[in-house]
């Protein structure tokens, strides 16, 4: 009988003060209710288990600000491009995509598949392994897998820098061409995301997250980057370079808004 009387949670806004979202992190209650609305289908057994395990810990350990999830299309293939600051980024990006109604798939280093536990999570979540420094064929196979995934309607998350920012000030470093090439070949939208604060929650050289006091983590998405004039089945190297520049510029512009600072001159 208690199960039958379980209350239905109402959808809550991701920001209390829409005019000043940076001052309105999700409360813990809002965040836990939001987690109940995460899509559950197509997550895979072990990826879904990891989400259910880690989300409450993230809620307890961080003050989360999400904005712009409406820019994620509700269905169909999409690429999500984010800057990269911490090993915590896949956790916060997964939560952000789920808050927008999408289950993310990641392009990730193939070494993650070698561990029994993490490998099970990566396999069940249909993530895409990338063999780094393994030659042109390995790069092509990762590219082809990403193309197939977005054509199958998946939401594929890419960190275009292919590693943490190499800049001491945390601004995005130069992006790699892979995401741009997939985007131009398939014509799917590219949604830029600025991610800030995860490097305080879990610094790159730390083994454990720093949760006392709670760190603030902000993720903001913008509208898809317009690449329509460059798209085509066989994009030229100049078109790929221009697309990459536009994507990284969009991510940097969003990050400047989050940080309340002007990015350094190129």
């Amino acid at each position: 009988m208690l199960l039958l009387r379980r209350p239905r949670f109402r959808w809550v806004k991701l920001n209390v003060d829409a005019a000043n979202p940076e001052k309105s992190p999700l409360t813990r209650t809002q965040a836990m209710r939001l987690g109940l609305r995460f899509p559950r289908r197509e997550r895979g057994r072990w990826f879904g288990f990891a989400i259910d395990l880690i989300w409450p810990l993230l809620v307890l350990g961080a003050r989360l600000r999400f904005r712009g999830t409406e820019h994620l299309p509700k269905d169909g293939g999409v690429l999500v491009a984010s800057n990269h600051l911490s090993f915590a980024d896949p956790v916060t990006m997964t939560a952000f995509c789920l808050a927008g109604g999408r289950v993310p798939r990641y392009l990730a280093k193939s070494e993650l598949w070698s561990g029994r536990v993490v490998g099970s999570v990566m396999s069940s979540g249909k993530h895409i392994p990338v063999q780094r420094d393994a030659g042109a064929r390995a790069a092509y196979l990762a590219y082809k897998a990403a193309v197939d995934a977005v054509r199958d309607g998946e939401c594929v998350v890419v960190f275009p820098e292919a590693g943490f920012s190499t800049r001491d000030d945390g601004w995005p470093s130069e992006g790699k061409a892979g995401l741009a090439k997939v985007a131009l070949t398939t014509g799917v939208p590219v949604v830029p995301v600025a991610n800030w604060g995860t490097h305080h929650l879990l610094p790159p050289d730390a083994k454990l997250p720093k949760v006392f006091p709670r760190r603030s983590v902000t993720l903001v998405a913008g509208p898809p980057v317009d690449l329509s004039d460059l798209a085509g089945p066989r994009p030229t190297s100049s078109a790929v370079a221009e697309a990459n520049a536009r994507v990284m510029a969009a991510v940097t512009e969003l990050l400047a808004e989050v940080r309340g600072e002007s990015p350094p001159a190129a």
Side-chain angles (χ1 to χ4, degrees):
M1 291 298 293
L2 290 177
L3 290 176
L4 292 176
R5 294 179 182 178
R6 181 180 176 182
R8 293 183 62 187
F9 288 106
R10 295 181 295 109
W11 177 254
V12 295
K13 293 182 179 179
L14 295 185
N15 291 292
V16 176
D17 182 0
N20 212 343
E22 295 305 305
K23 295 183 179 179
S24 303
L26 292 168
T27 67
R28 284 173 172 162
T29 299
Q30 286 178 313
M32 292 307 294
R33 288 180 174 179
L34 175 63
L36 294 175
R37 298 296 299 268
F38 286 169
R40 307 194 66 85
R41 297 183 60 185
E42 304 298 328
R43 298 198 311 192
R45 178 181 180 183
W46 295 112
F47 186 42
F49 176 78
I51 291 168
D52 291 339
L53 176 67
I54 295 174
W55 173 245
L57 300 178
L58 181 62
V59 170
L60 291 174
R63 293 166 57 86
L64 301 169
R65 297 173 173 88
F66 290 170
R67 183 158 57 91
T69 55
E70 70 273 9
H71 294 301
L72 290 172
K74 297 306 179 185
D75 51 44
V78 60
L79 290 162
V80 179
S82 172
N83 60 313
H84 199 9
L85 297 167
S86 165
F87 288 116
D89 293 344
V91 174
T92 56
M93 280 298 302
T94 295
F96 186 78
C97 291
L98 290 169
R102 300 302 302 263
V103 177
R105 317 296 183 191
Y106 288 89
L107 280 169
K109 59 183 181 180
S110 59
E111 293 88 340
L112 293 174
W113 275 256
S114 61
R116 182 175 181 181
V117 175
V118 177
S120 296
V121 171
M122 301 305 289
S123 296
S124 75
K126 297 195 292 186
H127 303 299
I128 301 169
V130 180
Q131 291 184 311
R132 300 182 298 178
D133 303 321
R137 177 163 177 76
Y140 172 77
L141 290 175
Y143 156 78
K144 182 65 166 55
V147 167
D148 291 344
V150 294
R151 283 178 172 166
D152 286 343
E154 299 285 3
C155 171
V156 176
V157 177
V158 181
F159 299 108
E161 297 161 279
F164 299 149
S165 172
T166 57
R167 299 178 58 100
D168 293 336
D169 56 13
W171 291 100
S173 47
E174 185 177 355
K176 307 299 182 183
L179 176 141
K181 189 174 181 181
V182 174
L184 297 187
T185 301
T186 61
V188 302
V190 179
V191 175
V193 175
N195 164 53
W196 188 248
T198 51
H199 56 308
H200 298 143
L201 176 65
L202 182 62
D205 57 351
K207 293 183 178 179
L208 294 173
K210 299 180 182 297
V211 296
F212 300 106
R214 292 168 71 200
R215 269 57 175 184
S216 294
V217 175
T218 302
L219 286 92
V220 177
V225 181
D226 186 6
L227 304 175
S228 57
D229 59 316
L230 303 173
R234 295 181 180 177
T236 64
S237 57
S238 60
V240 170
E242 172 62 21
N244 180 55
R246 292 184 193 179
V247 171
M248 296 309 298
V251 172
T252 302
E253 182 178 354
L254 288 170
L255 186 59
E257 178 185 341
V258 171
R259 294 176 60 168
E261 305 172 13
S262 297

